[in-house]
Amino acid sequence: MKLLLLEDDDLLAESLAESLEDNGYRVDLATSLRVARSVMRTEDYALVILDLGLPDGSGLDLLSQWRKAGLDLPVLILTARDTWEDKVNGLEVGADDYLTKPFHEAELLARIKALLRRRAGHVSQELTLNGVSLNEASQSVSIDGGPWHSLTGTEFRLLRFLMHHPNRVHSKEKLIDQLYALEQDAAAPNLVEVYIGRLRRRLGKSMIQTRRGQGYVFVTH
Ligand code: CA
């Protein structure tokens, strides 16, 4: 699952990106409104963490433009401004949540998880489809109520993406894009095959189907 972090404070951004990645998210970092506008045109994010004071303008204006354009992905505002007027403003413009600096990373992570769960329409740490249960906290999987098996980071991210978007065909390129952040060297699409193979060994062959020439689909019916 890929997040966009819009933050111009290098130290904070790097530390946040690191702890988000430790928690299984892929993070693209943008340090200005200009960069954020550009990556939003081409990338597919599950959530945006938005600083308000940016070198080329206010994050609020950007958020307002996104909402007017019909973009409905969850946005969490992260800012030093902490008057109640600022919070009301942010929420009215279309933010889903608001966190004031300084904050504890654990709180940010909990809020991000809550926003993503709300968006996905379920309220527990566990997602179960077709007898496959995925636990986001422990990054492990259980089949038909059996024992839990830990997944590697990449296996977890791949399975989580497929289970959050079931019954839709995802190309290898799209899956690679969800697994690796922009700044990393482009990984070979063959890697997706390798990881799909590993997941199939855990879940059974029929759960993730191949659509020849198109991609993969997690099937629930
Ligand atoms: Ca700032």
Side-chain angles (χ1 to χ4, degrees), residues 6-9 12 51-55 78-80 101:
L6 184 45
E7 170 62 68
D8 64 332
D9 176 336
L12 177 61
D51 180 25
L52 294 189
L54 291 154
L78 201 59
T79 180
K101 297 173 189 170

Side-chain angles (χ1 to χ4, degrees), residues 104-167:
H104 289 287
E105 284 186 359
E107 181 175 6
L108 176 67
L109 286 165
R111 285 173 185 259
I112 287 173
K113 277 187 192 164
L115 284 175
L116 292 172
R117 280 201 302 271
R118 210 183 298 159
R119 182 57 51 123
H122 45 87
V123 290
S124 80
Q125 295 261 3
E126 239 171 80
L127 170 62
T128 300
L129 287 177
N130 255 20
V132 177
S133 299
L134 183 69
N135 187 299
E136 307 224 352
S138 62
Q139 305 199 356
S140 57
V141 72
S142 149
I143 312 300
D144 295 327
W148 289 94
H149 297 285
S150 310
L151 299 170
T152 66
T154 306
E155 289 170 350
F156 171 70
R157 288 193 293 276
L158 180 58
L159 183 58
R160 179 173 59 181
F161 182 78
L162 290 169
M163 288 179 73
H164 275 270
H165 306 84
N167 303 312

Side-chain angles (χ1 to χ4, degrees), residues 6 32-34 36-37 50-66 77 79 81 86 89-90 93:
L6 184 45
S32 66
L33 299 180
R34 188 183 57 78
R37 284 197 183 96
L50 182 68
D51 180 25
L52 294 189
L54 291 154
D56 53 350
S58 164
L60 271 190
D61 294 339
L62 182 63
L63 176 57
S64 161
Q65 286 161 14
W66 282 346
I77 288 181
T79 180
R81 301 179 194 181
D86 285 326
N89 251 341
V93 163

